[in-house]
Amino acid sequence: MTTELLKNHVAGQWQAGTGEGTLLTDPVTGEALVRVSSAGLDLPAAFAFAREQGGAALRALTYGERAGLLKAVAGVLTAHRDAYFAIATANSGTVQSDSAVDIDGAIYTLGQYARWGAGLGDARVLLDGDVAALAKDNAFASQHLRVPTRGLALFINAFNFPSWGLWEKAAPALLAGVPVVIKPATTTAWLTQRMVADVVAAGVLPAGALSVVCGSSAGLLDALQPFDVLSFTGSAETAAVIRSHPKVAAQSVRVNIEADSLNSAVLLPGTAAGSEPFELFVREVVREMTVKSGQKCTAIRRAFVPEALYDAAAEAIAAKLAKVTVGNPRVDAVRMGALVNREQWQTVQDGIAALSAQTEVLFDGRQAPLIDADPAVAACVGPTLLGTRHPEAADKVHNVEVFGPCATLMPYRDTAQAAALIRRGEGSLVCSLYGDDAAALAAMATELADAHGRVHVVTPDVAKLHSGHGNVMPQSLHGGPGRAGGGEELGGLRALAFYQRRTAVQASPAVLAALGATRAPY
Ligand code: NAP
């Protein structure tokens, strides 16, 4: 049976790429699903349509009206939710709860931006900060404005979040008044393409506001122009290629990079094995290793405990990992599905082998039998907990990201050493802290803040309330310095800034008053 070739939506039309395209498969059964191709598309014309038609239509609306568009998009996605879960099971190999992180996470994020945008009401132009005097008595003064950039927002995304990865970026972009072109990772492009198809079919966005290009990235960066912005999520390796692309370098295209990260979790001193902070730490490490088979950029890769608790923590984590069932996500008894494909499976095996040279294997789920999945075909692998009593000597654990269900447990002498070891990750998305001493936790959070986009603190009083180490909430910043890419996304309305230009208007009080702008709440 021949598979469907998914179309691209560009220049306000559905267009098929040329050639056979690339086949997308089921990572559990190996079954052929659909094909994608971006070959032969006229990308400069597609981008011009987005800028000229989509951009103008979005800019003609107020923030409140654009917030209404986001609400309508969330409504369309909610109406087709079941179809998205079916695609995620087939193409990403994820169990229902893991697919929900991607699909429901997207709908929730759109809803949040719709609410925040509604609060901006009739505003079209935002004021940034106060008037600053340039002459006596403010007779001549400077006022900063925020206006939408008159380019497009190109998103190049990673394979692990085909839904959330699009909408967490598109929500602030569309709210800011900037049209979106999404290029999903090829392996899992189906879900992204279907969502765009549903939103386009529903007619809730102006023509040109949302385009999708599925398949090769060839030519995308060449079609960028000076007022465009580019938001990339993926590996540090591809990020380096993007940063040095001539269009990006020569035309000052604004770029946001979300790359890989060796996120940490730390159990603070002063807690005993079996205490509530200890149990919360163990639970979160296990959850982060296994949700989406560890294919989350925010997942815990390094877990630190006081020296005296190393053996107890290893035992407690291993005991929970032993209960994780792995295999076909269609089977109810399965808790952890597949990696995205067999190549990724091999990369994970190689990564574990590389780390094993400097660590001991504390729990090995790699040989555990799979449920309803052929180990020779399925991209399924059980969780592996590694450990080393010599974290300063083991350099690989601080710089090799195994993008799968694997983490390394390490002991530390004191919090100064723990912080120094965490810094060897050279900048991460998130670090989580566990304990019950508020002052000590606050001190550690502050100590680690500059090296992370987010510090997540878990105390017994928030055991049932906290949002999870790896869950990216639209209220909080997502991104991290250094190795994590140096990017910033989300964080409420702060996210709009990436899609806006800040301009100083220097004028008399009468002119400044006539700007009729609304103060930006960020
Ligand atoms: P990847 O191989 O770097 O690919 C990411 C995207 O870049 C894909 O859409 C890919 O397209 C595209 N691409 C590849 N080469 C390109 C080029 N020369 N020019 C322009 N685009 C190009 O990353 P991945 O394997 O999909 O994702 C896994 C990585 O992403 C992990 O390291 C993970 O930590 C990171 N990640 C980070 C975040 C975050 O928010 N910080 C979130 C998720 C994942 P094709 O698929 O067509 O090759």
Side-chain angles (χ1 to χ4, degrees):
M1 199 175 79
T2 55
T3 49
E4 180 190 352
L5 178 66
L6 301 182
K7 288 186 175 157
N8 305 284
H9 189 69
V10 288
Q13 292 167 10
W14 287 103
Q15 298 184 27
T18 54
E20 277 298 294
T22 306
L23 185 65
L24 276 56
T25 55
D26 183 318
V28 178
T29 63
E31 187 194 339
L33 299 172
V34 291
R35 288 171 297 125
V36 294
S37 168
S38 61
L41 297 180
D42 184 347
L43 293 173
F47 280 21
F49 184 88
R51 284 182 206 108
E52 288 157 24
Q53 307 282 321
L58 288 169
R59 288 196 306 275
L61 305 175
T62 64
Y63 276 92
E65 287 166 337
R66 294 195 293 259
L69 300 183
L70 299 186
K71 193 173 171 200
V73 170
V76 173
L77 301 184
T78 304
H80 295 88
R81 217 175 139 262
D82 290 349
Y84 304 150
F85 275 86
I87 291 175
T89 305
N91 193 192
S92 294
T94 40
V95 295
Q96 194 84 354
S97 56
D98 289 355
S99 303
V101 178
D102 190 27
I103 296 164
D104 291 337
I107 296 171
Y108 172 72
T109 301
L110 278 160
Q112 281 299 326
Y113 275 94
R115 268 188 286 285
W116 291 325
L120 296 173
D122 293 339
R124 286 170 196 278
V125 177
L126 297 179
L127 295 179
D128 181 311
D130 295 326
V131 167
L134 294 173
K136 214 171 156 195
D137 300 329
N138 270 1
F140 187 67
S142 171
Q143 170 67 61
H144 289 84
L145 298 182
R146 285 185 179 274
V147 294
T149 188
R150 293 203 182 186
L152 57 78
L154 172 63
F155 301 154
I156 298 182
N157 276 0
F159 68 77
N160 56 340
F161 282 106
S163 164
W164 176 82
L166 162 59
W167 299 111
E168 61 104 10
K169 294 179 194 221
L174 294 170
L175 183 58
V178 178
V180 165
V181 178
I182 168 73
K183 189 284 201 236
T186 298
T187 329
T188 56
W190 191 12
L191 179 54
T192 312
Q193 196 271 0
R194 175 65 68 84
M195 288 180 147
V196 173
D198 290 337
V199 170
V200 169
V204 293
L205 291 178
L210 182 62
S211 308
V212 62
V213 175
C214 299
S216 162
S217 58
L220 281 172
L221 299 182
D222 298 315
L224 289 173
Q225 291 189 359
F227 297 127
D228 296 335
V229 299
L230 167 60
S231 184
F232 169 79
T233 299
S235 63
E237 211 178 3
T238 313
V241 173
I242 285 179
R243 276 189 216 281
S244 56
H245 189 277
K247 282 278 181 173
V248 171
Q251 302 197 335
S252 311
V253 171
R254 189 182 283 172
V255 176
N256 191 73
I257 304 273
E258 299 287 342
D260 34 292
S261 183
L262 284 137
N263 310 293
S264 308
V266 194
L267 178 63
L268 260 63
T271 49
S275 65
E276 208 175 343
F278 177 92
E279 294 299 338
L280 288 166
F281 167 85
V282 167
R283 193 183 312 160
E284 206 61 10
V285 170
V286 171
R287 183 156 62 184
E288 287 298 315
M289 288 176 70
T290 53
V291 170
K292 287 179 75 72
S293 299
Q295 297 172 113
K296 267 176 35 242
C297 51
T298 49
I300 295 170
R301 307 292 176 200
R302 299 179 294 158
F304 296 93
V305 291
E307 275 172 347
L309 297 181
Y310 178 76
D311 292 323
E315 203 176 302
I317 296 168
K320 283 197 189 309
L321 291 176
K323 293 187 191 142
V324 176
T325 46
V326 186
N328 190 335
R330 295 163 185 88
V331 177
D332 281 346
V334 168
R335 170 143 163 233
M336 197 168 89
L339 296 168
V340 74
N341 56 28
R342 204 63 189 181
E343 291 81 73
Q344 203 54 31
W345 182 91
Q346 190 58 53
T347 307
V348 166
Q349 303 284 354
D350 294 347
I352 294 173
L355 294 189
S356 299
Q358 297 182 339
T359 56
E360 53 179 330
V361 179
L362 298 173
F363 178 82
D364 191 349
R366 284 172 293 177
Q367 307 309 328
L370 303 179
I371 297 177
D372 192 29
D374 177 353
V377 174
C380 297
V381 59
T384 302
L385 179 68
L386 302 173
T388 172
R389 291 174 197 271
H390 308 288
E392 279 171 353
D395 59 317
K396 285 198 169 62
V397 300
H398 304 295
N399 61 44
V400 174
E401 181 202 43
V402 177
F403 207 58
C406 175
T408 305
L409 182 69
M410 290 171 265
Y412 67 84
R413 279 189 309 276
D414 51 35
T415 50
Q417 191 205 17
L421 290 168
I422 289 168
R423 283 181 182 281
R424 287 180 57 182
E426 297 184 329
S428 299
L429 295 169
V430 52
C431 173
S432 55
L433 309 176
Y434 304 78
D436 50 16
D437 178 340
L441 288 160
M444 192 66 165
T446 312
E447 167 66 24
L448 294 170
D450 75 294
H452 297 86
R454 182 161 61 85
V455 181
H456 182 82
V457 183
V458 181
T459 45
D461 54 328
V462 299
K464 293 198 164 60
L465 303 174
H466 78 95
S467 47
H469 164 107
N471 284 342
V472 177
M473 305 304 288
Q475 293 83 349
S476 302
L477 185 82
H478 175 58
R483 176 183 176 128
E488 284 195 2
E489 290 180 341
L490 301 171
L493 287 172
R494 288 177 189 86
L496 299 189
F498 181 67
Y499 304 98
Q500 296 168 326
R501 295 280 156 193
R502 182 159 46 193
T503 305
V505 178
Q506 302 180 167
S508 70
V511 173
L512 294 182
L515 290 171
T518 304
R519 198 182 164 83
Y522 55 95

